[in-house]
């Protein structure tokens, strides 16, 4: 008789939910605090870039840290440091006054938070294959539910963030953010799972050598290399819309709750799309799902560029979330099935860092362009290249390997 244990998998889901909710609150609170001061999209871009620039190096190092220190330990350390970085906002306001929470301070704290978050996310993702095996779940199902939980966090987080800003204020909302990270720590502390503890360091070189090894593995695996390029481009085009353009649009209209609803719509769509992925993967090829997602994303962003009424924007955001929801489970599946267990953290770190690399470039362009040319032009400047990316992906031969992966993940 085969026995299953779902507890480790559900603890990972809970940790992803609580930590993601904290990041979701920050997603609303940080730009709101900046835009409330002077309404400048450039300043909002500065803070957004501060929260993304460290992600490239941090995610690269996070993978090596996970493989060297252990997945469970790194997840807990990362969440503890993230809690400190967001709790510093109200602490500074209490100590030095609300005026001390200026753009420079917010940018510095956003950068600190960005240094710590990737390690926690990488650690949780690399524990999924073993947790799925213990639970008796397929890896597609585990990845789909994990990403659905992550999207659920961004339903709870931004919605709660908008409510907290309205009732308590942006500064006080950071106390709640810190509390969510503490809940994530408590879940991971209770986790017992093969491969989650202190690793066998015979397989793990020093940090920089480990990063290089991960980069070589991704570069020498055509499907991973192509996915990294696609994700890098899509992230650079999509991130400014969520981090700068929507906050700018709704701040100008003094509608924080509506900003929260837009982010919730994106997450609701992502939640449904990720949950649907397990069923879709049985009837559709992964490559087909990805190509449709990129095409619909480009079309939806183009329509949003004309700034239609709020109900239309909400529907389009839900569609964007739905078609993008299966993308992360596909990425996770490919990484988990292509990389051996002792290298998994570095491969996840490399793929994540490459996805973040284009984000700051998009933000550098989007902020000044929004202030000078307007939101309509800026939206179009991001959506039209997304359509070109979808067309280019159709002719990428390496993406055909998405449906030629091994049936089970690689374990040491």
């Amino acid at each position: 008789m085969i026995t299953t244990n779902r507890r480790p998998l559900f603890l990972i889901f809970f940790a992803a939910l609580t930590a993601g909710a904290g990041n979701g609150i920050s997603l609303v609170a940080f730009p709101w605090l900046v835009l409330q001061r002077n309404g400048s999209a450039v300043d909002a871009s500065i803070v957004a870039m501060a929260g993304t620039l460290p992600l490239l190096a941090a995610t690269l190092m996070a993978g090596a840290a996970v493989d060297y220190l252990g997945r469970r330990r790194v997840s807990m350390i990362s969440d503890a440091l993230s809690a400190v970085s967001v709790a510093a906002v109200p602490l500074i306001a209490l100590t030095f006054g609300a005026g001390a929470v200026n753009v420079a301070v917010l940018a510095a704290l956003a950068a600190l938070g960005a240094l710590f978050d990737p390690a926690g996310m990488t650690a949780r993702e690399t524990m999924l294959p073993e947790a799925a095996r213990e639970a008796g779940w397929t890896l597609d199902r585990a990845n789909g539910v994990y990403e659905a939980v992550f999207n659920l966090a961004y339903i709870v987080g931004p919605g709660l963030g908008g409510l907290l800003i309205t009732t308590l204020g942006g500064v006080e909302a950071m106390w709640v953010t810190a509390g969510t990270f503490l809940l994530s720590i408590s879940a991971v502390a209770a986790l017992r799972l093969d491969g989650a503890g202190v690793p066998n360091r015979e397989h793990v070189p020093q940090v920089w050598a480990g990063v290089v090894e991960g980069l070589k593995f991704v570069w020498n695996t055509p499907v991973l290399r192509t996915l990294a390029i696609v994700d890098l481009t899509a992230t650079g085009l999509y991130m400014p819309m969520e981090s700068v353009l929507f906050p700018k649009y709704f701040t100008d209209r003094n509608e924080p709750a509506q900003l929260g609803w837009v982010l919730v719509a994106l997450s609701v769509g992502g939640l449904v799309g990720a949950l649907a992925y397990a069923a879709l993967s049985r009837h559709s090829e992964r490559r087909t799902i990805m190509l449709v997602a990129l095409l619909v994303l480009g079309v939806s962003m183009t329509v949003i560029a004309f700034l239609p009424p709020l109900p239309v924007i909400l529907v389009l955001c839900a569609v964007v979330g739905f078609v993008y929801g299966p993308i992360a489970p596909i990425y996770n599946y490919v990484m988990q099935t292509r990389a051996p267990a002792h290298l998994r953290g570095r491969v996840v770190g490399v793929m994540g860092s490459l996805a973040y690399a284009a984000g700051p470039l998009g933000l550098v362009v989007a902020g000044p362009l929004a202030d000078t040319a307007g939101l309509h032009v800026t939206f179009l400047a991001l959506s039209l290249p997304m359509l070109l990316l979808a067309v280019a992906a159709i002719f990428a031969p390496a993406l055909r390997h998405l449906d030629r992966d091994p049936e089970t993940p690689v374990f040491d």
Side-chain angles (χ1 to χ4, degrees):
M1 180 178 178
I2 299 176
T3 60
T4 59
N5 178 17
R6 297 180 181 178
R7 186 171 183 268
L9 189 61
F10 289 167
L11 285 173
I12 294 173
F13 291 161
F14 181 79
L17 175 65
T18 51
N23 287 326
I25 297 172
S26 298
L27 190 65
V28 175
F30 269 107
W32 190 265
L33 286 170
V34 176
L35 291 165
Q36 195 176 40
R37 296 179 65 90
N38 53 22
S40 170
V42 172
D43 285 350
S45 294
I46 291 172
V47 173
M49 281 189 292
T52 55
L53 279 173
L55 291 175
L56 173 59
T59 311
L60 275 174
M61 298 303 176
V66 168
D67 284 341
Y68 188 80
L69 297 175
R71 300 161 187 168
R72 180 170 169 269
R73 179 186 297 174
V74 168
S75 178
M76 295 172 65
I77 293 173
S78 169
D79 286 337
L81 295 174
S82 294
V84 170
S85 69
V86 294
V89 174
L91 285 174
I92 290 173
L94 285 172
T95 305
F96 302 103
V101 185
N102 52 37
V103 173
V105 169
L106 291 171
L109 293 176
L112 286 174
L115 284 173
F116 308 137
D117 286 340
M121 290 186 288
T122 300
R124 288 186 288 273
E125 287 181 14
T126 55
M127 290 189 283
L128 282 175
E130 287 80 7
R133 183 175 58 176
E134 283 203 14
W137 287 25
T138 65
L139 194 51
D140 273 325
R141 182 185 180 190
N143 280 317
V145 174
Y146 176 83
E147 294 300 331
V149 168
F150 198 74
N151 279 283
L152 177 61
Y154 280 86
I155 295 172
V156 175
L160 182 59
L163 178 63
L164 290 171
I165 290 171
T166 302
T167 57
L168 301 177
V171 172
E172 288 76 9
M174 293 304 186
W175 288 121
V176 180
T177 310
T180 60
F181 286 115
L182 295 179
L183 288 175
S184 179
I185 293 170
S186 66
V188 176
L191 180 65
R192 298 295 180 269
L193 182 69
D194 288 343
V198 179
N200 181 359
R201 294 191 175 96
E202 292 179 2
H203 290 294
V204 184
Q206 293 181 346
V207 173
W208 180 244
V211 170
V212 172
E213 187 177 357
L215 284 167
K216 287 181 178 178
F217 186 91
V218 170
W219 183 256
N220 292 326
T221 307
V223 64
L224 289 176
R225 183 175 66 240
T226 303
L227 282 178
I229 294 171
V230 170
D231 199 25
L232 182 149
T233 306
T235 301
L237 296 172
Y238 172 80
M239 186 178 293
M241 181 180 76
E242 186 174 298
S243 300
V244 174
L245 301 188
F246 277 138
K248 169 66 174 173
Y249 178 64
F250 289 106
T251 302
D252 288 346
R253 298 163 63 94
N254 194 30
E255 297 175 341
Q258 282 78 354
L259 172 60
W261 281 115
V262 165
L263 297 178
V264 166
L266 288 167
S267 295
V268 168
L271 169 64
V272 176
L275 284 175
Y277 170 68
L280 288 172
S281 63
R282 299 172 188 168
H283 307 289
S284 301
E285 292 185 341
R286 296 184 185 91
R287 176 175 176 270
T288 300
I289 295 172
M290 176 168 291
L291 293 178
V292 170
L294 292 173
L295 181 61
V296 174
L297 182 61
V299 171
S300 299
M301 288 176 61
T302 302
V303 177
I304 290 173
F306 292 92
L307 299 175
L310 179 62
V312 178
I313 292 177
L314 291 176
V315 171
L316 290 170
C317 287
V319 171
V320 166
F322 178 79
V323 298
Y324 209 76
I327 297 299
I330 291 174
Y331 282 8
N332 290 345
Y333 180 89
V334 174
M335 290 185 289
Q336 292 157 356
T337 55
R338 291 286 178 155
H342 72 271
L343 194 61
R344 194 183 303 150
R346 279 161 284 171
V347 170
V348 172
V350 166
M351 292 289 285
S353 65
L354 291 176
Y356 290 129
L361 294 177
L363 292 168
V364 165
V365 173
L369 189 60
D371 280 342
T372 56
L375 290 174
H376 171 64
V377 172
T378 308
F379 268 114
L380 284 176
L382 300 174
S383 62
L384 297 180
M386 187 71 78
L387 288 172
L388 294 177
L389 175 65
V391 174
I394 295 173
F395 301 99
L399 292 185
R400 300 186 185 277
H401 291 275
L402 289 174
D403 300 291
R404 301 174 188 170
D405 288 341
E407 295 181 358
T408 56
V410 179
F411 296 100
D412 286 342

